[in-house]
Amino acid sequence: MVASEQTQIENIVEQETNMEKKIGTRDLFIEVLTKIGCQYQLGEGDDTRIFFAFQGENMFADASDESLYVVVWDTFWEHVELYDIDEVSKMRKAINNSNLNSSVTTVYTIDKEGSSMDVHSRSMFAFVPQMPSIENYLKAELGKFFRAHQLVGNEMQKLRAEEQNA
């Protein structure tokens, strides 16, 4: 190999390495969201919050260039009226079951003014430029939220059926 060819190759490798170092987690996440067809909006006054929709579900992410992880939230995707104590109990059991069988964490909050139990899901996952097939990886991670929805829904149906058969 000629010395000038070796130098050119080294320069290309160095440029690629520098490019990988320059893109942070936040910018990478935005770039990949765009590639998979998601429109997004940046949070006002918060340089880490990114609002987006995936397959019709409104979500938001916290992505910072200081971290190699992204935290994604899918909020208010289900609710139960607080006056229905049996449904509240079933939802708590369904959420616990979902958390045992999913990498996405499902939680609930109580809205006393609205008199409801609201259901939310959260996931934290690594997001780095070196990840192979990063677009497919992000789609798979976001798809896990729908699996959590399904797990909660299936468990609610099962608990309702058990109650009817009792």
Side-chain angles (χ1 to χ4, degrees):
M1 184 177 289
V2 179
S4 64
E5 289 177 334
Q6 178 67 29
T7 303
Q8 287 176 340
I9 291 171
E10 288 173 359
N11 287 340
I12 290 170
V13 168
E14 182 178 337
Q15 287 174 354
E16 289 177 356
T17 302
N18 287 339
M19 285 174 55
E20 286 179 0
K21 290 179 185 174
K22 287 181 185 177
I23 191 161
T25 303
R26 179 180 179 273
D27 292 336
L28 178 63
F29 188 77
I30 290 170
E31 179 182 302
V32 175
L33 276 178
T34 302
K35 284 181 180 178
I36 66 171
C38 294
Q39 294 185 350
Y40 67 89
Q41 183 177 354
L42 301 178
E44 291 183 29
D46 184 351
D47 62 348
T48 64
R49 183 75 35 103
I50 305 160
F51 296 91
F52 64 98
F54 179 72
Q55 296 182 356
E57 193 72 16
N58 292 320
M59 301 178 171
F60 68 87
D62 289 316
S64 166
D65 291 336
E66 285 76 43
S67 175
L68 299 177
Y69 291 87
V70 173
V71 178
V72 176
W73 282 92
D74 180 8
T75 56
F76 298 98
W77 56 265
E78 187 64 81
H79 77 275
V80 173
E81 300 300 325
L82 286 179
Y83 68 82
D84 193 341
I85 296 170
D86 289 336
E87 283 293 294
V88 168
S89 177
K90 287 183 198 91
M91 182 59 75
R92 290 176 62 186
K93 289 176 185 176
I95 288 171
N96 285 340
N97 183 62
S98 174
N99 287 334
L100 291 172
N101 295 295
S102 176
S103 61
V104 171
T105 303
T106 301
V107 298
Y108 66 87
T109 56
I110 301 296
D111 177 3
K112 290 181 182 176
E113 286 181 23
S115 192
S116 68
M117 168 193 268
D118 299 306
V119 182
H120 323 281
S121 294
R122 172 191 178 275
S123 182
M124 182 169 72
F125 50 90
F127 205 76
V128 294
Q130 298 82 2
M131 195 160 291
S133 302
I134 196 161
E135 292 92 357
N136 289 334
Y137 171 74
L138 181 56
K139 286 181 195 177
E141 288 298 324
L142 297 177
K144 291 176 182 179
F145 284 90
F146 298 99
R147 175 74 175 131
H149 292 198
Q150 184 180 35
L151 287 168
V152 169
N154 290 348
E155 186 68 14
M156 288 294 287
Q157 287 178 346
K158 181 179 127 191
L159 292 168
R160 287 178 186 133
E162 288 173 1
E163 182 180 74
Q164 286 179 350
N165 293 333

